[in-house]
């Protein structure tokens, strides 16, 4: 089973209107000590409403998943992701 973490930096997408887009950079530093290999980054949207928080994926919205290869040859087809 691959390691998992929910402790990650967050970026606010507040202020984006319907149909608008923006580009954000994701920097993973320092690299987790999981070692070389293929991993999947799961990106989700968190809605904060006062003291309550809701992950979109918990209500059926798909999260965005990106396969990455860390420090070595991986036997999978990957999009170009620079870490």
């Amino acid at each position: 089973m691959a390691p998992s973490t929910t402790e990650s930096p967050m970026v606010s997408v507040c202020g984006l209107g319907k149909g608008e887009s923006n580009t954000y950079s994701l920097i993973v530093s320092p690299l987790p000590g999981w070692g070389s290999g293929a991993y999947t980054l799961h990106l989700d949207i968190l809605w904060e409403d006062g003291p309550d928080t809701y992950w979109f994926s918990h209500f059926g919205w798909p999260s965005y998943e990106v396969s990455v290869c860390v420090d070595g040859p991986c036997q999978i087809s990957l999009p170009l992701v620079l870490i």
Side-chain angles (χ1 to χ4, degrees), residues 9-52:
M10 295 185 181
V11 62
S12 175
V13 294
C14 291
L16 284 178
K18 184 176 181 178
E20 292 181 331
S21 65
N22 201 350
T23 300
Y24 300 93
S25 296
L26 172 68
I27 299 171
V28 180
S29 179
L31 289 175
W34 301 331
S36 301
Y39 295 94
T40 303
L41 298 176
H42 297 270
L43 307 176
D44 200 348
I45 299 289
L46 176 69
W47 176 34
E48 295 181 311
D49 184 18
D52 299 320

Side-chain angles (χ1 to χ4, degrees), residues 46-61:
L46 176 69
W47 176 34
E48 295 181 311
D49 184 18
D52 299 320
T53 58
Y54 307 94
W55 290 102
F56 277 32
S57 63
H58 292 173
F59 295 95
W61 288 81

